Amino acid sequence: MTETPNETPDNAPQPERFNQARAAQAMAVLEDYAEMIGDLMDEMGEARITDIAARMGVTHPTATKAVARLKREGLAMSRPYRGVFLTEAGVALADRVRGRHRTVVDLLIAVGVPAETAELDAEGLEHYVSATSLAAFEMFLANSAARS
Amino acid sequence: MTETPNETPDNAPQPERFNQARAAQAMAVLEDYAEMIGDLMDEMGEARITDIAARMGVTHPTATKAVARLKREGLAMSRPYRGVFLTEAGVALADRVRGRHRTVVDLLIAVGVPAETAELDAEGLEHYVSATSLAAFEMFLANSAARS
DNA sequence: ACACAAGTGTAGCCAAGGCTTTAATTGGCG
DNA sequence: CGCCAATTAAAGCCTTGGCTACACTTGTGT
């Protein structure tokens, strides 16, 4: 191997922004599952693989794999044939995701997107909203409310 | 609750929205590549694999694969060892993506997101903005401009 | 007590989208 | 003209996240 330390790719414009988007995308699925498990725990007291799969619109093996990944990331715990539970970190993530989702939906509505579309689009958008943008959204919403 | 587990999945929120988001995600990469090829054709008259790869921040083989996918989708054409060109459909897609990108950036800025962050976030966000939301964004921007 | 249905887990396949390595083509230069 | 560097292509591997098929627990009902 020639010593090719992963230095800056080269003098290209900014390919990093794509990598950043790709990284966010990797996290997106985890976030969705964590949020879903949080919802199920709130509603039913526990999250079962079948329910998670049904809600996510996937088959149980797929849900199992996702849960395995959540466990690997320290976001969830589960014992064989028992329900799935979120760790403290998982709960924190779920809460954060939920809050962000609401903010995104509210912002979309605030700029004139129909409520239904806002919900639908937010599902895809939310994972790509940076903390900076989220803060801006909240400020914008606060100002809008105050001005109305 | 009695044991009766034969109940319908309760208020199961359509899992389709997740599938929708997944579909959008599949298109995202293609859109990015098409846009990039369009840029390169405008700037240099042709798009070469090496340039595409550099700009996207990936290796050449990855870019080659992406181009193959674009060709499969009827969005691009290329002859071995010659440049890559967009088909009519590809050009249309690239233009649409470019316009949407600008609108998204403008909207983010309009609601108070710093310009740099807006650019960065738009890269991920743009692929999930529906036509309905996009139209709402444009109307919002038009109104903002008029009111300023 | 045991059988069977439902739920869960495991294995193996596929496509996408990354990567590295190796081969081939092109084209410029000595 | 022939060789070499750069470019492109091809082949093979990895991970993610879908899927189906099949195996195994669990626990409920007779």
Side-chain angles (χ1 to χ4, degrees):
Chain A
M1 291 308 150
T2 54
E3 314 302 324
T4 48
N6 280 353
E7 47 188 293
T8 310
D10 47 54
N11 55 344
Q14 284 179 359
E16 291 175 19
R17 62 179 182 168
F18 290 109
N19 291 313
Q20 191 166 322
R22 275 173 219 132
Q25 185 240 46
M27 198 63 199
V29 177
L30 247 20
E31 289 178 344
D32 280 338
Y33 277 97
E35 184 182 5
M36 186 61 72
I37 294 171
D39 287 349
L40 286 167
M41 281 176 64
D42 287 352
E43 291 174 29
M44 333 248 253
E46 71 169 349
R48 276 151 59 249
I49 288 285
T50 320
D51 295 333
I52 297 170
R55 294 246 185 145
M56 295 298 296
V58 298
T59 54
H60 14 100
T62 300
T64 302
K65 270 201 200 174
V67 168
R69 209 169 144 220
L70 284 172
K71 293 208 288 187
R72 204 195 316 149
E73 304 280 338
L75 296 168
M77 296 175 302
S78 77
R79 297 199 327 278
Y81 297 98
R82 294 303 177 205
V84 178
F85 301 90
L86 292 177
T87 62
E88 214 170 298
V91 171
L93 175 64
D95 287 348
R96 185 151 37 87
V97 170
R98 239 187 307 238
R100 192 183 53 188
H101 180 86
R102 273 198 44 212
T103 300
V104 171
V105 170
D106 288 349
L107 181 99
L108 288 175
I109 291 174
V111 300
V113 176
E116 286 176 33
T117 304
E119 269 295 341
L120 236 39
D121 282 19
E123 203 58 59
L125 292 175
E126 57 181 352
H127 305 290
Y128 301 88
V129 176
S130 66
T132 303
S133 290
L134 196 64
F137 290 0
E138 277 158 5
M139 190 165 304
F140 178 82
L141 288 168
N143 286 346
S144 292
R147 227 183 314 112
S148 72
Chain B
M1 286 306 145
T2 57
E3 58 289 356
T4 61
N6 54 352
E7 193 178 341
T8 4
D10 277 81
N11 48 351
Q14 307 110 355
E16 293 173 18
R17 62 178 184 172
F18 290 109
N19 292 312
Q20 193 166 323
R22 273 173 222 134
Q25 184 239 53
M27 198 63 201
V29 177
L30 249 19
E31 288 179 344
D32 281 339
Y33 277 96
E35 183 183 4
M36 187 60 73
I37 294 172
D39 286 349
L40 287 166
M41 282 176 64
D42 287 351
E43 291 174 30
M44 334 247 254
E46 72 168 350
R48 275 153 58 250
I49 287 286
T50 321
D51 296 332
I52 297 170
R55 293 247 185 145
M56 295 297 297
V58 300
T59 55
H60 320 149
T62 300
T64 302
K65 269 204 201 174
V67 169
R69 233 174 300 133
L70 284 172
K71 293 208 286 187
R72 202 195 316 149
E73 304 281 337
L75 296 168
M77 295 175 303
S78 77
R79 298 199 325 279
Y81 296 100
R82 295 300 175 206
V84 179
F85 300 90
L86 293 177
T87 62
E88 215 170 297
V91 172
L93 175 64
D95 287 348
R96 185 151 37 87
V97 170
R98 239 189 305 243
R100 192 182 54 187
H101 181 86
R102 273 198 43 213
T103 300
V104 171
V105 170
D106 288 348
L107 180 97
L108 288 175
I109 291 175
V111 301
V113 176
E116 286 175 33
T117 305
E119 270 294 341
L120 236 40
D121 282 20
E123 204 58 59
L125 291 175
E126 57 180 353
H127 305 290
Y128 302 90
V129 175
S130 66
T132 303
S133 290
L134 195 64
F137 290 0
E138 277 158 6
M139 189 166 306
F140 178 83
L141 289 169
N143 286 346
S144 292
R147 223 176 325 109
S148 74

